[in-house]
Amino acid sequence: MAYSVCASMFVFWVFLISLASSARVYDCEPGTEPTLCIVNNLVYTPEQDPLPLVNRSDTVKRVQLNYERFHYQQKALLNVYDVVLHETVLRSPPNVAVINYQLHTLVMPRDLEVGDFLNNIIKVVDTDPAQSYNLRYLDLSHNSLDDLRNLSVLVNLQTLRLERNEIVEIKPETFARMINLSILTLGYNHIVKIDLKVLPKRLIMLSLRRNSLTEIVFGSVSFVSMRELDLESNQLTAIDVASMMRACPSLQLLPIEFNPISKDEAQRIITELDQHNVSYYIDGGNANDLDSSCDSDEYQIDRMCFSTSVLGPKTFLKAFVLILVGIVLLGLFGLSARWIWHEMRY
């Protein structure tokens, strides 16, 4: 009887240990394409033991990790995308999408060809300068990058998207070896000055939209394939169209709206762009765009709005109102403190 009880307890504890040590298995659900599968709410941490398992068919070429935020609003399921996760757990898919997942560190796999890491909080991209990488497409938009030095080894890149990061400066070595890069988007960052000579010469499309550029110099550069250059919403007060067309003879689209360009200068730029058959705004195809109005500190030319100054009267008005409100609140706080002190004394 005692032997039977001990045997039962032994089996029970073995079962509990095996249950606790068993790996969690995730199904790879079919996507919109035969080669795409979706893995929902994958939980992974470096040095995790046991590693999670993913039921992935060998025919799958693109794996998308999907984070259902309405289930895990406050829980970070995946902070790091590293080589173990890529090679061992996901079995080295050539195309990976990790979107909106609170990812903060990306260790670049050597065999990855397409990486979509949109809308995370990536601060660090780890690469090895002694290694070669197959990556052709990389989207790091909507992250927290402020240093691009580790991207310089990604020499096979053809498309690089870096919108909405914390980029202030483009260093010469960043793009020095990216001779195949044709699409580069740097919009919605904090770039004040950029030397076009440090950018790849095969660029077809370059976006510098919504930065803080005060000038852009086209002398001593040549982008013979450049068809689109987006300069919208910067702090430019002038554009040398003749110099730009010598540098970019194939240019077709140059959005320049929402820059503090004087009316005479804007009219001159538009006239010269018309002579070169270059469009200067993106046509959304909406008839209402024709009737769109500009703000009070802007003027309109040919459906485009330009600021009348770098800051504009609206900005000064808002600043004045905020200062006034601050003074009033500070005064009320002082009176309240004085009244409370008076009441406490008596």
Side-chain angles (χ1 to χ4, degrees), residues 198-230:
V198 306
L199 300 181
K201 301 303 179 285
R202 293 187 182 180
L203 285 179
I204 295 174
M205 183 272 197
L206 172 63
S207 175
L208 294 167
R209 169 187 293 245
R210 200 173 288 275
N211 277 278
S212 301
L213 293 170
T214 57
E215 67 172 351
I216 186 162
V217 179
F218 294 95
S220 303
V221 297
S222 177
F223 299 99
V224 295
S225 301
M226 182 82 74
R227 294 199 297 266
E228 180 178 344
L229 174 60
D230 193 341

Short mmCIF file of all heavy atoms in Angstrom, two decimals, residues 198-230:
data_model
loop_
_atom_site.label_atom_id
_atom_site.label_comp_id
_atom_site.label_asym_id
_atom_site.label_seq_id
_atom_site.Cartn_x
_atom_site.Cartn_y
_atom_site.Cartn_z
N VAL A 198 26.51 62.88 -48.77
CA VAL A 198 26.71 61.63 -48.02
C VAL A 198 25.63 60.60 -48.34
O VAL A 198 25.68 59.47 -47.84
CB VAL A 198 26.73 61.90 -46.50
CG1 VAL A 198 27.75 62.96 -46.16
CG2 VAL A 198 25.35 62.27 -45.95
N LEU A 199 24.66 60.95 -49.17
CA LEU A 199 23.56 60.03 -49.49
C LEU A 199 23.90 59.19 -50.72
O LEU A 199 24.68 59.61 -51.58
CB LEU A 199 22.28 60.82 -49.74
CG LEU A 199 21.77 61.67 -48.58
CD1 LEU A 199 20.48 62.38 -48.96
CD2 LEU A 199 21.57 60.83 -47.32
N PRO A 200 23.29 58.00 -50.82
CA PRO A 200 23.55 57.13 -51.99
C PRO A 200 23.16 57.80 -53.29
O PRO A 200 22.13 58.47 -53.38
CB PRO A 200 22.67 55.89 -51.70
CG PRO A 200 22.49 55.89 -50.22
CD PRO A 200 22.43 57.33 -49.83
N LYS A 201 23.95 57.59 -54.32
CA LYS A 201 23.75 58.29 -55.59
C LYS A 201 22.65 57.67 -56.45
O LYS A 201 22.21 58.28 -57.43
CB LYS A 201 25.07 58.30 -56.38
CG LYS A 201 26.21 58.98 -55.62
CD LYS A 201 25.86 60.40 -55.23
CE LYS A 201 26.97 61.09 -54.45
NZ LYS A 201 27.06 60.60 -53.05
N ARG A 202 22.20 56.45 -56.09
CA ARG A 202 21.17 55.78 -56.90
C ARG A 202 19.76 56.03 -56.37
O ARG A 202 18.81 55.37 -56.80
CB ARG A 202 21.43 54.28 -56.95
CG ARG A 202 22.69 53.89 -57.71
CD ARG A 202 22.79 52.39 -57.85
NE ARG A 202 24.01 51.98 -58.53
CZ ARG A 202 24.34 50.72 -58.79
NH1 ARG A 202 23.54 49.73 -58.40
NH2 ARG A 202 25.46 50.43 -59.42
N LEU A 203 19.59 56.96 -55.47
CA LEU A 203 18.27 57.22 -54.91
C LEU A 203 17.27 57.60 -55.99
O LEU A 203 17.54 58.44 -56.85
CB LEU A 203 18.35 58.33 -53.86
CG LEU A 203 18.96 57.98 -52.51
CD1 LEU A 203 18.99 59.20 -51.61
CD2 LEU A 203 18.20 56.84 -51.84
N ILE A 204 16.11 56.98 -55.90
CA ILE A 204 14.98 57.33 -56.76
C ILE A 204 13.99 58.20 -56.01
O ILE A 204 13.37 59.09 -56.56
CB ILE A 204 14.28 56.04 -57.27
CG1 ILE A 204 15.21 55.24 -58.18
CG2 ILE A 204 12.99 56.38 -58.01
CD1 ILE A 204 14.65 53.91 -58.59
N MET A 205 13.87 57.92 -54.70
CA MET A 205 12.93 58.67 -53.88
C MET A 205 13.59 59.01 -52.54
O MET A 205 14.19 58.14 -51.90
CB MET A 205 11.66 57.85 -53.66
CG MET A 205 10.58 58.58 -52.88
SD MET A 205 10.71 58.37 -51.10
CE MET A 205 9.09 58.88 -50.58
N LEU A 206 13.51 60.28 -52.14
CA LEU A 206 14.04 60.74 -50.86
C LEU A 206 12.99 61.61 -50.20
O LEU A 206 12.53 62.59 -50.77
CB LEU A 206 15.33 61.55 -51.07
CG LEU A 206 15.89 62.27 -49.84
CD1 LEU A 206 16.29 61.27 -48.76
CD2 LEU A 206 17.08 63.15 -50.21
N SER A 207 12.62 61.25 -48.96
CA SER A 207 11.67 62.05 -48.20
C SER A 207 12.36 62.68 -47.00
O SER A 207 12.92 61.98 -46.16
CB SER A 207 10.49 61.19 -47.73
OG SER A 207 9.63 61.96 -46.89
N LEU A 208 12.29 64.00 -46.94
CA LEU A 208 12.78 64.78 -45.80
C LEU A 208 11.63 65.59 -45.19
O LEU A 208 11.86 66.58 -44.49
CB LEU A 208 13.91 65.71 -46.24
CG LEU A 208 15.19 65.00 -46.71
CD1 LEU A 208 16.11 65.97 -47.43
CD2 LEU A 208 15.91 64.35 -45.54
N ARG A 209 10.44 65.14 -45.43
CA ARG A 209 9.24 65.83 -44.98
C ARG A 209 9.23 66.05 -43.46
O ARG A 209 9.64 65.20 -42.69
CB ARG A 209 8.02 65.00 -45.38
CG ARG A 209 6.69 65.42 -44.77
CD ARG A 209 5.60 64.45 -45.11
NE ARG A 209 5.30 64.47 -46.52
CZ ARG A 209 4.14 64.87 -47.04
NH1 ARG A 209 3.18 65.29 -46.23
NH2 ARG A 209 3.94 64.88 -48.33
N ARG A 210 8.74 67.19 -43.07
CA ARG A 210 8.54 67.56 -41.66
C ARG A 210 9.78 67.32 -40.81
O ARG A 210 9.78 66.55 -39.84
CB ARG A 210 7.33 66.82 -41.08
CG ARG A 210 6.78 67.50 -39.82
CD ARG A 210 5.48 66.86 -39.37
NE ARG A 210 4.38 67.18 -40.25
CZ ARG A 210 3.62 68.27 -40.18
NH1 ARG A 210 3.87 69.17 -39.25
NH2 ARG A 210 2.63 68.49 -41.03
N ASN A 211 10.86 67.99 -41.19
CA ASN A 211 12.05 68.09 -40.36
C ASN A 211 12.23 69.56 -40.00
O ASN A 211 11.26 70.30 -39.94
CB ASN A 211 13.27 67.51 -41.08
CG ASN A 211 13.35 65.99 -40.93
OD1 ASN A 211 13.83 65.48 -39.93
ND2 ASN A 211 12.87 65.26 -41.93
N SER A 212 13.46 69.98 -39.77
CA SER A 212 13.72 71.38 -39.43
C SER A 212 14.78 71.98 -40.33
O SER A 212 15.58 72.82 -39.91
CB SER A 212 14.14 71.48 -37.95
OG SER A 212 13.15 70.97 -37.10
N LEU A 213 14.81 71.56 -41.59
CA LEU A 213 15.80 72.04 -42.54
C LEU A 213 15.60 73.52 -42.85
O LEU A 213 14.51 73.94 -43.22
CB LEU A 213 15.72 71.24 -43.84
CG LEU A 213 16.11 69.76 -43.77
CD1 LEU A 213 15.75 69.05 -45.06
CD2 LEU A 213 17.59 69.60 -43.46
N THR A 214 16.67 74.28 -42.73
CA THR A 214 16.62 75.70 -43.06
C THR A 214 17.19 75.99 -44.45
O THR A 214 16.92 77.04 -45.02
CB THR A 214 17.39 76.53 -42.02
OG1 THR A 214 18.74 76.05 -41.95
CG2 THR A 214 16.74 76.41 -40.65
N GLU A 215 17.96 75.05 -44.97
CA GLU A 215 18.48 75.17 -46.33
C GLU A 215 18.82 73.79 -46.87
O GLU A 215 19.03 72.84 -46.11
CB GLU A 215 19.73 76.07 -46.38
CG GLU A 215 20.94 75.48 -45.66
CD GLU A 215 22.19 76.31 -45.90
OE1 GLU A 215 22.16 77.23 -46.73
OE2 GLU A 215 23.21 76.01 -45.26
N ILE A 216 18.87 73.69 -48.18
CA ILE A 216 19.29 72.45 -48.83
C ILE A 216 20.12 72.83 -50.05
O ILE A 216 19.67 73.60 -50.91
CB ILE A 216 18.09 71.56 -49.19
CG1 ILE A 216 18.55 70.22 -49.73
CG2 ILE A 216 17.12 72.25 -50.14
CD1 ILE A 216 17.49 69.15 -49.71
N VAL A 217 21.35 72.31 -50.09
CA VAL A 217 22.32 72.72 -51.10
C VAL A 217 22.52 71.58 -52.10
O VAL A 217 22.86 70.46 -51.71
CB VAL A 217 23.66 73.11 -50.44
CG1 VAL A 217 24.68 73.52 -51.50
CG2 VAL A 217 23.45 74.24 -49.44
N PHE A 218 22.36 71.89 -53.39
CA PHE A 218 22.46 70.87 -54.43
C PHE A 218 23.78 70.93 -55.19
O PHE A 218 24.00 70.15 -56.12
CB PHE A 218 21.30 71.02 -55.42
CG PHE A 218 19.96 70.73 -54.82
CD1 PHE A 218 19.17 71.75 -54.33
CD2 PHE A 218 19.50 69.43 -54.75
CE1 PHE A 218 17.93 71.48 -53.77
CE2 PHE A 218 18.26 69.15 -54.20
CZ PHE A 218 17.47 70.18 -53.70
N GLY A 219 24.65 71.83 -54.83
CA GLY A 219 25.94 71.92 -55.51
C GLY A 219 26.81 70.71 -55.28
O GLY A 219 26.83 70.14 -54.17
N SER A 220 27.52 70.27 -56.30
CA SER A 220 28.48 69.16 -56.22
C SER A 220 27.84 67.82 -55.91
O SER A 220 28.48 66.92 -55.36
CB SER A 220 29.57 69.45 -55.17
OG SER A 220 30.23 70.66 -55.46
N VAL A 221 26.54 67.66 -56.22
CA VAL A 221 25.88 66.36 -56.05
C VAL A 221 25.19 65.98 -57.35
O VAL A 221 24.87 66.84 -58.18
CB VAL A 221 24.85 66.37 -54.89
CG1 VAL A 221 25.53 66.65 -53.57
CG2 VAL A 221 23.73 67.36 -55.15
N SER A 222 24.96 64.67 -57.51
CA SER A 222 24.30 64.19 -58.71
C SER A 222 23.44 62.98 -58.36
O SER A 222 23.94 61.96 -57.89
CB SER A 222 25.34 63.80 -59.77
OG SER A 222 24.71 63.27 -60.92
N PHE A 223 22.13 63.14 -58.59
CA PHE A 223 21.17 62.04 -58.40
C PHE A 223 20.41 61.87 -59.71
O PHE A 223 19.29 62.36 -59.86
CB PHE A 223 20.21 62.36 -57.25
CG PHE A 223 20.88 62.55 -55.92
CD1 PHE A 223 21.14 63.82 -55.43
CD2 PHE A 223 21.24 61.46 -55.15
CE1 PHE A 223 21.75 64.01 -54.20
CE2 PHE A 223 21.85 61.63 -53.91
CZ PHE A 223 22.12 62.90 -53.44
N VAL A 224 21.02 61.19 -60.65
CA VAL A 224 20.46 61.13 -62.00
C VAL A 224 19.16 60.35 -62.06
O VAL A 224 18.37 60.51 -63.00
CB VAL A 224 21.48 60.51 -62.99
CG1 VAL A 224 22.69 61.41 -63.13
CG2 VAL A 224 21.90 59.12 -62.53
N SER A 225 18.90 59.49 -61.06
CA SER A 225 17.68 58.67 -61.06
C SER A 225 16.59 59.23 -60.17
O SER A 225 15.48 58.69 -60.12
CB SER A 225 18.01 57.24 -60.61
OG SER A 225 18.97 56.63 -61.45
N MET A 226 16.87 60.31 -59.45
CA MET A 226 15.90 60.86 -58.49
C MET A 226 14.64 61.35 -59.19
O MET A 226 14.70 62.23 -60.06
CB MET A 226 16.54 62.01 -57.71
CG MET A 226 15.64 62.62 -56.64
SD MET A 226 15.64 61.68 -55.11
CE MET A 226 17.26 62.12 -54.47
N ARG A 227 13.50 60.77 -58.81
CA ARG A 227 12.22 61.18 -59.38
C ARG A 227 11.34 61.91 -58.37
O ARG A 227 10.47 62.69 -58.76
CB ARG A 227 11.47 59.96 -59.92
CG ARG A 227 12.15 59.30 -61.11
CD ARG A 227 11.18 58.42 -61.87
NE ARG A 227 10.70 57.31 -61.05
CZ ARG A 227 11.24 56.08 -61.04
NH1 ARG A 227 12.30 55.83 -61.81
NH2 ARG A 227 10.75 55.13 -60.29
N GLU A 228 11.54 61.65 -57.08
CA GLU A 228 10.72 62.30 -56.06
C GLU A 228 11.59 62.76 -54.89
O GLU A 228 12.36 61.99 -54.34
CB GLU A 228 9.65 61.34 -55.55
CG GLU A 228 8.75 61.94 -54.48
CD GLU A 228 7.67 61.00 -54.01
OE1 GLU A 228 7.41 60.00 -54.71
OE2 GLU A 228 7.08 61.26 -52.94
N LEU A 229 11.43 64.03 -54.53
CA LEU A 229 12.13 64.62 -53.39
C LEU A 229 11.11 65.39 -52.58
O LEU A 229 10.57 66.40 -53.04
CB LEU A 229 13.24 65.55 -53.88
CG LEU A 229 13.98 66.36 -52.81
CD1 LEU A 229 14.66 65.45 -51.80
CD2 LEU A 229 15.00 67.30 -53.45
N ASP A 230 10.83 64.94 -51.37
CA ASP A 230 9.79 65.54 -50.54
C ASP A 230 10.43 66.47 -49.51
O ASP A 230 11.13 66.03 -48.60
CB ASP A 230 8.99 64.44 -49.84
CG ASP A 230 7.70 64.97 -49.22
OD1 ASP A 230 7.59 66.19 -49.03
OD2 ASP A 230 6.80 64.15 -48.93
#
